[in-house]
Each structure stands twice: as C-alpha cells, then as structure tokens.
Amino acid sequence: MKPRWLDDTPQAAQDFVAGRRLDEVECIVADIAGVARGKAMPASKFATQERFYLPNSIFLQTITGEWADNPAGAFTEPDMILTPDFSTTAAAPWTNDATLMVIHDVSDQQGNPVPVAPRNVLKRVLALYEAKGWRPIVAPEMEFFLVARNVDPNQPIIPPMGRTGRRAAAKQAYSMSAVDEYGKVIDDIYDFAEAQGFEIDGILQEGGAGQIEINLNHGDPVHLADQIFYFKRLIREAALRHDCFATFMAKPIEDEPGSAMHIHHSIVDIATGQNIFSDPKGRETPEFLHFIAGMQKHLPAGVALLAPYVNSYRRYVPDFAAPINLEWGRDNRTTGLRVPVSGPEARRLENRLAGMDCNPYLGLAASLACGYLGLIERETPRAECLGDAYMSQDELPYNLGDALDLLTESQAMREVLGQEFVDVYVSVKRNEFKEFLQVISPWEREHLLLNV
C-alpha cells in the first residue's frame, strides 16, 4: 500500500513507487560544500517520524573530512531538527531497491532556522527580496566533465574513452557527434532525470574534452538549487554505470576550459508579475542598471562562495571561456556579466563567474545578494564593454585566501548573508586552504628540487 505521506509529494515520486514496495528513504541536507549529509532509514520508520536529528557540526566539516574551528567557541555539537520538505521528494532510480530522497529543512531546538545551513542562507536572501515586493527568477547552466576513472590522485585526469575507441576530443563545442561518443551516459542522465521529475532544457557539448553542458528551465531559486543538488549525484551515478567519472571540479584538466555554473537572473514584481528590468515600452529600466552595478561592486566579496576551492581560481584565465573581471556587455561572452539576447519580458543578466564546484544554494545566494544590494543602493554601473573584456584589467581575487579576506571585510555581504554564516564559512574555507598549503606539488618538485 502506498504510504500516506506520498500524497503530499511530486507526481514523479508517486509514479516511481506505484506498484512497488518502497524500501528506503534518504533524509538529506546539503552541507557547506553541497555534499549530501543525513541518514537513510526503512520507509516504515520514516512514515512514523515527523522529524529527525543531526549534530550541527556537519556545517563545520571541510571537503577533506576535517573539522574547522567553531567561530562561536564551544564545540558541543547540539542536535538540529530536520523536518522533511515533501515537495523535494525524488526517486533514487540508480539503486537496486525502491528508494526515495527527501531534502529536509534545518532548525534549532527552539524552531529557528539554522543560519549556517546553505538552503536557509538562500531563503534568507529571498526573504529580503520579498520584503521589497520582488521575486527573483533564475536559470542555471551546469557544465561538467566526463573523465576516465582516476583511482590514483597522483595521476593527471584524462578524457574518457568514447564509443569509437578514442579519447574524447577537445575543441568540439556544439558537436553532435562528440555528444554521441558517450551517448549511453547521456541516455541514463535523461532517464534518471525523468524518473525524478526534472526537466532538462537542453544538453550540448562544450569546448573541453568530454565536457558537457546541461541547461535547466528558469524558475524559483530554491527549487533550482534543489535540482542542481540532486543533479550532481544523478550525473555521477550515470557516469559510474559506464566506467567513467563525472566531475564538477572547476578545472580538472590542464590546458582545457573550466566548468562554470552560469546564472541568469531576472526580477519580477510580485504585485504585477512584470519583469522589473523592462518598462511598459520594453526599454531597460534604471533597476536593471542598478542590479548590474550591485554585481560589479559586491561580487569581489562574493567570489569566495562562487569559487570555493583552491582549484576554482585556475578557471579565471583569459581566452578559456571564463571571465577575468566584472565588465558587462550585451551579448558579449568575454565579460563576466553578460546581457543575453532576449525580448523585454525575458530581459536578464547572466553572471558568468560561478564555478560548477560551488554549492548551488550558496552560489545563487551570493549572486542574488549582490544584485539585491545594487537595487537598494541604486548606483549605476561603469560603461558597457563593447570589445574584448580580456583586454581589460584583472579585478577578481587571485586565490581563495584573497577572496576570503574580501568576504570577511564586506559588511554589506555579511548583513545580507548573515554574520554567523559568513564566520562559519570563512572558518571552513581557511581550514581547507591551510591543508592545501601543506601539499607539495609536482611543479615544485620538478622546478625547485634541483634548481634553487
């Protein structure tokens, strides 16, 4: 018999369970890195519990599994309350048994949202928009690489073997035959996405060897972040079925482009349903330029969330389809802030800085925070870039340490994202940066060992 709580879940999840015995439910939340944390339990037990518990220390865990210092002081690990958001219920179609996943809301024992939980950070930013009568609409683009299995971290990443028996080739952007090389993986991605009720707007070959882009339909930021959170696992599972890895590293292969999570933004007036970036005659509004100005002013402090790892900064190099500054332009892909071709109703700004390695909740939160500050401050952007933005001056932080300094010092971003969250995020990332600095690279051994 179908569990009663399934009546409140999306139709795709109900269809997945129909006629089958539901075995297991995964109760999950996204940690600072965007890794799924939680617990799995028999469906019969899940059906009898209204809430679950996890220690708040999961938000102090680094990507290496170490623990960062708690900025609040004592490290007592009190339990948080996890409440299922049934609207996020989705199938895990790659498992042998009938399994569902449910993203949970995170609150403390007094019922207050935990301010360092990434999904809550995004909701906090959206609440600021709502208080002004605005509703953000986003459309993310997901880039990633399919790569050969790499079981030795000391060995470089290489492209996967395609159906022709050759390694996937680079510089084949938009090639249909290049996508066909790993068509079986793509087929599984489509099948898994359909089972989860997700709509893919398009799949294409990007410029790197084995690099793919998936576009998602525009919509509510929390809903889209939930989808990306699920999609990363879905894509990894599809790749593993065909003897390769899927990676969302910002720059996994030397001399290849990096993987971005471009974010398209528009803002709707809640009362009228109209895009505030266009006036009744279809012209750009002052609000559109204020939004761009906010991006230019505050994104340097937000880069630490859009580029969260030491590897992320390898992506920001000229002529590799990634921005190096915050120039803006209409239909200009060399700029960090691009205005795509569109009709007035769909006028939007594309932020091209975010890497696919970012936590989707935090990447969207940081980007929207910058735009919100621009709408509030009502400043104007500098002149539009009409040429090659790579010829302009670099203005992004060069490494994670510099980016964290800018975030720490930005009182405006602290107020929008939350003081406690920023302190915890910086603590986690400084711990990771410190660990990285303990590692001696092959470049250092090759060029310094016998020459200095």
Side-chain angles (χ1 to χ4, degrees):
M1 185 176 69
K2 183 180 72 172
R4 183 176 300 173
W5 59 267
L6 269 176
D7 292 334
D8 298 325
T9 68
Q11 188 62 47
Q14 296 186 44
D15 293 344
F16 177 75
V17 173
R20 310 169 68 188
R21 176 181 174 273
L22 178 60
D23 290 291
E24 190 172 72
V25 177
E26 296 180 354
C27 309
I28 55 178
V29 299
D31 71 359
I32 292 295
V35 174
R37 305 283 179 187
K39 57 182 69 176
M41 64 184 62
S44 57
K45 180 178 180 182
F46 178 83
T48 62
Q49 293 189 228
E50 295 181 354
R51 57 179 57 179
F52 308 92
Y53 301 91
L54 282 179
N56 68 359
S57 58
I58 65 170
F59 297 121
L60 288 170
Q61 194 166 14
T62 71
I63 196 65
T64 67
E66 297 298 325
W67 304 95
D69 294 335
N70 184 4
F75 193 63
T76 58
E77 295 192 89
D79 274 340
M80 306 176 297
I81 297 172
L82 274 59
T83 306
D85 179 348
F86 290 117
S87 70
T88 68
T89 307
W94 49 83
T95 58
N96 292 326
D97 300 322
T99 300
L100 293 177
M101 304 175 290
V102 183
I103 296 172
H104 284 54
D105 290 317
V106 185
S107 59
D108 62 23
Q109 294 176 29
Q110 287 71 47
N112 305 304
V114 171
V116 299
R119 198 166 186 253
N120 288 344
V121 175
L122 178 55
K123 288 182 177 182
R124 174 192 175 97
V125 175
L126 296 179
L128 294 174
Y129 276 91
E130 185 177 2
K132 297 294 183 180
W134 301 322
R135 183 174 69 250
I137 304 295
V138 299
E141 301 171 358
M142 302 171 54
E143 296 177 354
F144 60 94
F145 278 84
L146 296 176
V147 301
R149 282 181 176 266
N150 182 282
V151 296
D152 182 357
N154 292 311
Q155 298 302 313
I157 304 296
I158 59 175
M161 199 73 75
R163 65 174 185 165
T164 60
R166 294 184 174 184
R167 298 284 176 194
K171 300 180 180 178
Q172 296 296 321
Y174 305 106
S175 166
M176 299 309 299
S177 59
V179 172
D180 289 342
E181 279 288 283
Y182 26 84
K184 291 183 178 181
V185 180
I186 302 297
D187 288 344
D188 276 351
I189 290 174
Y190 273 123
D191 290 344
F192 289 166
E194 182 178 0
Q196 292 188 295
F198 300 152
E199 185 177 352
I200 295 175
D201 195 44
I203 292 183
L204 58 90
Q205 167 73 31
E206 263 294 347
Q211 189 182 29
I212 297 170
E213 178 180 306
I214 293 180
N215 297 327
L216 303 181
N217 279 328
H218 62 275
D220 172 73
V222 173
H223 179 61
L224 267 300
D226 289 340
Q227 283 197 38
I228 296 171
F229 177 55
Y230 278 145
F231 256 112
K232 284 189 172 184
R233 184 175 177 190
L234 176 163
I235 292 166
R236 288 192 184 99
E237 292 290 343
L240 287 171
R241 281 194 169 193
H242 300 281
D243 199 36
C244 61
F245 288 168
T247 180
F248 301 93
M249 279 180 66
K251 186 83 166 182
I253 304 177
E254 293 180 16
D255 300 322
E256 295 281 0
S259 289
M261 188 184 79
H262 297 156
I263 308 169
H264 295 247
H265 313 69
S266 58
I267 309 297
V268 170
D269 183 285
I270 294 174
T272 66
Q274 300 300 307
N275 185 347
I276 71 169
F277 291 163
S278 297
D279 70 13
K281 294 184 178 180
R283 299 169 299 193
E284 292 178 355
T285 61
E287 284 75 18
F288 186 52
L289 296 178
H290 298 330
F291 194 89
I292 295 172
M295 291 284 192
Q296 288 187 324
K297 180 177 179 180
H298 296 286
L299 267 175
V303 166
L305 288 92
L306 304 176
Y309 303 104
V310 290
N311 175 264
S312 307
Y313 297 82
R314 300 185 187 279
R315 197 181 131 248
Y316 298 139
V317 293
D319 303 318
F320 272 88
I324 61 170
N325 52 44
L326 293 167
E327 299 290 351
W328 76 278
R330 296 174 178 84
D331 197 24
N332 185 343
R333 284 184 169 82
T334 69
T335 60
L337 302 170
R338 171 177 171 259
V339 180
V341 176
S342 72
E345 71 287 348
R347 180 168 281 118
R348 61 195 186 274
L349 182 69
E350 177 189 11
N351 177 357
R352 297 174 61 82
L353 267 70
M356 198 59 236
D357 54 345
C358 78
N359 179 322
Y361 300 102
L362 300 182
L364 292 177
S367 195
L368 288 169
C370 296
Y372 171 81
L373 287 167
L375 290 170
I376 297 303
E377 295 165 350
R378 302 186 64 80
E379 297 180 5
T380 56
R382 55 181 182 256
E384 176 187 1
C385 176
L386 301 175
D388 185 350
Y390 293 132
M391 303 298 291
S392 301
Q393 186 175 359
D394 295 6
E395 56 181 322
L396 301 179
Y398 287 107
N399 57 56
L400 180 59
D402 291 346
L404 291 172
D405 288 342
L406 291 174
L407 177 60
T408 301
E409 296 162 3
S410 173
Q411 192 56 40
M413 289 293 281
R414 279 181 166 275
E415 291 177 1
V416 174
L417 298 173
Q419 300 278 2
E420 186 175 346
F421 163 72
V422 171
D423 287 342
V424 166
Y425 185 84
V426 169
S427 179
V428 168
K429 292 301 167 182
R430 288 206 189 280
N431 186 289
E432 292 174 357
F433 192 42
K434 181 176 66 175
E435 285 191 67
F436 171 77
L437 292 177
Q438 306 307 310
V439 178
I440 309 302
S441 70
W443 186 94
E444 292 166 277
R445 290 191 290 270
E446 178 179 353
H447 297 289
L448 304 181
L449 182 66
L450 300 178
N451 292 330
V452 296

